[in-house]
Amino acid sequence: MAVTAVVGGQWGDEGKGKVIDLLAGTADVVIRAHGGDNAGHTVVNDLGEFALHLVPAGIFNPAATCIIAPGVALNPAGLVRELEVLEQRGVRTDGLLISDRAHLVMPYHLMLEQAQEGSRGADAIGSTGRGIGPTYGDKVGRIGIRAGDLRDAVKFRRRVSTGLAHANDQLRMLGRFDGEISESQMADEYLTYASRLREFIRDVSPIVAGAISRGAEILLEGAQGTLLDLDHGTYPYATTSACTVAGLCQGSGVPPQAVDHSVGVYKAYCTRVGSGPMPTELKDGVGDYLRERAHEFGTTTGRARRCGWFDAVVSRYTARLNGFSSIALTRLDILDELETISLCVAYDLDGSRIQDVPYDASLLERCRPVYEELPGWKTSISDVSDFEELPREAMRFVERVEHLVGAPADMIGVGPARRQTISRGRFRSAAPFAKP
Ligand code: GDP
Ligand code: IMO
Ligand code: MG
């Protein structure tokens, strides 16, 4: 199990931060592979609760090298703030490395995103507003600015000039140009971040290659979730990076054949933030109950998350796309008090039963979930550490999810803390932070 990829199987916020933190106890290298500070990964450990946005969730193991990979969209202002908070709370950050190939989020990307969302009106994506889409847009347009460009002030200023002129043109086209932002002020500000981050910025490719060739334990940390993937997600209500195992390989520079194990993180129910179809969404008291009990409010934006039952149709689709060898089924404890629990096993689309996810968001919007009902267990499982100690009904729920998704639940979450984790199968002797 030298290289393990950890990917969201739903619409994000599945609990990837907790899973990475647990597995990072024996990792040599933890690589955050894609996305930007649109992500919010929560870790609860002896030092308290942390919300990480760019720093890999392996940072709590001081022996691990934590890498922000070429595929990440990096907001240096956000990263500097995040490092300050970690250091103030006693977390060592000297194991961090930033790829010189990572693209920088610039202030004009944030402005552009706001303008683009505004111009979409009722069709707005519900972006986190972190400028991630426009940053990747400039990367694809080949006018992006990369972390390594901060090393040369003259070259950096030239790139800022090109990027800003392009952004201003787009703002004018959208009718949202409110006057020039000072090019030199922006470049000066970024060059001050450069002085703080310089020690971390590196060509990480040889470091990653060296770790693979010596058989080091490497964790690839995914952000968002497969249903937000740009190619395979619920387009256009998607993020702008590749959120799959393949995307993690691309973003990190780890060759696909080096990945030994891929873990899909799924909640025992579903949540979604922002717009777009979600067939099992509960717009009733049960949805409100789940949101309140699980405190389903965004780690990054504080927005209320939409809640619904576990959807095996989308889950099977994401497991198939990623080839998950294990599932981490999180937040099972949230279902503790329910009389019955529903699982969506198919959709009804205009009178026909379907088992696949239609390509068009408006078709998925029309899909009505076909549910199977399972009895609840009506008792707290927050202190259970062995699968066999779970109530029979909870075991049955887990086994049904495993069967429907097609991979074993080798990790089961019964609470946010490290110890509130059932590790079995492939993880029986892993997840070292879970051990008391
Ligand atoms: P991520 O973006 O995938 O890392 O997930 P978030 O951190 O945005 O949201 C997951 C939330 O669930 C966080 O508040 C975690 O502390 C919490 N969490 C993770 N696993 C469990 C679990 O098994 N039970 C409970 N009750 N909370 C969990
Ligand atoms: P983690 O890593 C949940 C959602 C946004 C919006 C869509 C596009 O914490 O799981 P963007 O800002 O990327 O242009 O927004 O994607 N989104 C997330 N939802 N968790 C995330 O990250 C998300 N990152 C983006 O709400 O619907
Ligand atoms: Mg999150």
Side-chain angles (χ1 to χ4, degrees):
M1 201 172 83
V3 179
T4 303
V6 177
V7 163
Q10 296 159 323
W11 282 282
D13 301 327
E14 300 91 346
K16 299 174 292 294
K18 178 184 167 183
V19 172
I20 291 283
D21 172 62
L22 278 172
L23 296 178
T26 48
D28 301 299
V29 182
V30 182
I31 310 179
R32 169 70 193 276
H34 69 100
D37 59 0
N38 47 355
H41 296 176
T42 312
V43 172
V44 179
N45 59 28
D46 299 345
L47 295 171
E49 179 170 331
F50 295 84
L52 301 169
H53 301 285
L54 283 163
V55 174
I59 200 73
F60 303 97
N61 175 0
T65 301
C66 286
I67 297 179
I68 295 179
V72 171
L74 173 71
N75 184 330
L79 180 59
V80 166
R81 275 196 303 273
E82 201 170 320
L83 290 173
E84 258 169 32
V85 170
L86 287 170
E87 284 162 13
Q88 275 163 12
R89 295 181 64 187
V91 182
R92 276 181 53 190
T93 58
D94 48 344
L96 183 70
L97 296 175
I98 301 169
S99 166
D100 47 12
R101 291 173 166 84
H103 278 251
L104 297 180
V105 179
M106 302 298 293
Y108 49 79
H109 292 133
L110 302 172
M111 294 168 68
L112 255 179
E113 181 147 77
Q114 210 179 10
Q116 288 167 353
E117 281 283 77
S119 71
R120 287 189 187 107
D123 296 326
I125 307 297
S127 142
T128 59
R130 295 296 187 273
I132 306 306
T135 304
Y136 284 127
D138 277 1
K139 170 176 170 171
V140 173
R142 289 158 291 181
I143 54 162
I145 307 177
R146 299 189 292 173
D149 297 334
L150 288 165
R151 292 184 185 121
D152 177 341
V154 175
K155 182 170 153 194
F156 181 73
R157 286 180 194 281
R158 213 168 41 235
R159 289 197 163 273
V160 170
S161 177
T162 308
L164 181 59
H166 181 76
N168 281 338
D169 285 346
Q170 288 184 288
L171 288 169
R172 278 191 199 93
M173 271 180 344
L174 291 166
R176 311 234 169 194
F177 179 72
D178 314 320
E180 297 285 342
I181 354 177
S182 163
E183 184 180 309
S184 60
Q185 222 176 335
M186 189 190 305
D188 289 346
E189 183 192 329
Y190 269 58
L191 290 166
T192 59
Y193 302 137
S195 60
R196 170 72 178 91
L197 298 177
R198 187 166 292 126
E199 59 175 311
F200 301 120
I201 299 175
R202 238 25 99 72
D203 177 3
V204 299
S205 175
I207 298 167
V208 172
I212 294 170
S213 64
R214 64 171 191 279
E217 288 277 325
I218 301 174
L219 277 176
L220 303 182
E221 176 174 349
Q224 289 82 51
T226 304
L227 296 168
L228 292 171
D229 178 90
L230 189 58
D231 292 303
H232 305 287
T234 48
Y235 190 86
Y237 303 101
T239 190
T240 43
S241 64
C243 312
T244 55
V245 175
L248 267 57
C249 287
Q250 176 67 16
S252 62
V254 168
Q257 81 276 12
V259 177
D260 303 287
H261 188 32
S262 51
V263 184
V265 188
Y266 292 85
K267 269 180 201 172
Y269 50 97
C270 273
T271 62
R272 174 164 203 166
V273 207
S275 319
M278 178 182 172
T280 62
E281 182 173 10
L282 293 165
K283 294 181 179 164
D284 58 9
V286 183
D288 295 341
Y289 168 82
L290 289 173
R291 183 176 313 104
E292 294 308 318
R293 175 162 166 85
H295 197 72
E296 290 289 3
F297 295 90
T299 313
T300 300
T301 59
R303 290 180 292 176
R305 295 175 181 154
R306 301 155 60 194
C307 298
W309 294 121
F310 188 88
D311 182 340
V313 180
V314 289
S315 301
R316 196 165 41 232
Y317 169 69
T318 61
R320 189 174 74 198
L321 281 166
N322 285 291
F324 291 137
S325 40
S326 293
I327 295 174
L329 188 65
T330 64
R331 306 204 103 176
L332 187 62
D333 53 299
I334 298 300
L335 308 180
D336 277 355
E337 294 176 349
L338 297 170
E339 198 74 51
T340 53
I341 298 163
S342 299
L343 277 170
C344 166
V345 292
Y347 298 143
D348 182 312
L349 177 61
D350 303 335
S352 302
R353 188 167 285 214
I354 62 167
Q355 299 277 353
D356 271 311
V357 182
Y359 99 101
D360 189 60
S362 64
L363 285 177
L364 188 57
E365 199 77 67
R366 290 218 305 273
C367 286
R368 297 289 152 254
V370 176
Y371 286 121
E372 182 177 291
E373 275 202 351
L374 295 181
W377 43 94
K378 308 258 316 180
T379 182
S380 171
I381 57 168
S382 307
D383 292 320
V384 173
S385 53
D386 279 320
F387 185 70
E388 288 69 28
E389 284 170 24
L390 281 173
R392 202 163 28 87
E393 295 82 358
M395 281 186 188
R396 204 167 136 207
F397 175 83
V398 173
E399 285 164 357
R400 191 68 187 128
V401 167
E402 290 178 316
H403 178 77
L404 290 166
V405 175
D410 288 334
M411 197 183 274
I412 298 164
V414 293
R418 285 173 170 174
R419 63 168 182 79
Q420 292 177 300
T421 310
I422 297 171
S423 306
R424 54 204 279 259
R426 216 180 265 261
F427 289 134
R428 190 171 294 284
S429 55
F433 282 157
K435 305 272 181 305

